[in-house]
Amino acid sequence: MAARYILSRSGTQFRFVLKAGNGETILTSELYTTKDNAQNGIASVRSNAPYDVRYERKNAADGSPMFNLRAPNDQVIGTSETYSSEARREAGIEAVKANGPSAPVDDQT
């Protein structure tokens, strides 16, 4: 299976996740109030994913490595899952860089 964005709806809100080819979630968006805003979020991931400077490497509350992908205005576009090591976090970032710009959208709304 190839990487893809899954656009979904929960009640009146929308969200997307970027899934790697193996089905693992590599990036999750915030909740959006409109489908158009969620689609704009996907467009922002596509345009910002290739740039290492856009990745904020940090640790979750429990100390596990994770990252945020940020837009040029410093707004968080997407958040990763937590990882068991910094090396795995870097692999997650590389997966977003590789798949984010061109993955198709699976609209499940």
Side-chain angles (χ1 to χ4, degrees), residues 64-87:
S64 299
M66 59 167 292
F67 66 87
N68 288 321
L69 176 61
R70 292 186 171 273
N73 66 2
D74 209 34
Q75 182 177 5
V76 173
I77 309 166
T79 300
S80 73
E81 303 292 319
T82 57
Y83 294 95
S84 59
S85 69
E86 290 181 8

Side-chain angles (χ1 to χ4, degrees), residues 37-58:
N37 288 344
Q39 290 171 318
N40 288 340
I42 292 169
S44 187
V45 172
R46 285 184 167 149
S47 64
N48 289 287
Y51 304 106
D52 193 68
V53 68
R54 301 284 184 242
Y55 294 87
E56 174 189 29
R57 292 158 173 89
K58 57 190 281 181

Side-chain angles (χ1 to χ4, degrees), residues 3-97:
R4 62 193 168 120
Y5 291 95
I6 298 176
L7 179 61
S8 61
R9 180 179 185 164
S10 176
T12 61
Q13 297 185 314
F14 299 84
R15 132 174 309 156
F16 65 84
V17 296
L18 176 58
K19 297 252 185 195
N22 64 3
E24 292 290 321
T25 297
I26 52 178
L27 196 70
T28 302
S29 76
E30 65 179 333
L31 290 172
Y32 294 94
T33 56
T34 69
K35 184 176 177 177
D36 283 344
N37 288 344
Q39 290 171 318
N40 288 340
I42 292 169
S44 187
V45 172
R46 285 184 167 149
S47 64
N48 289 287
Y51 304 106
D52 193 68
V53 68
R54 301 284 184 242
Y55 294 87
E56 174 189 29
R57 292 158 173 89
K58 57 190 281 181
N59 293 326
D62 69 357
S64 299
M66 59 167 292
F67 66 87
N68 288 321
L69 176 61
R70 292 186 171 273
N73 66 2
D74 209 34
Q75 182 177 5
V76 173
I77 309 166
T79 300
S80 73
E81 303 292 319
T82 57
Y83 294 95
S84 59
S85 69
E86 290 181 8
R88 289 187 188 263
R89 174 179 62 199
E90 292 304 312
I93 289 171
E94 292 304 314
V96 175
K97 287 180 180 178

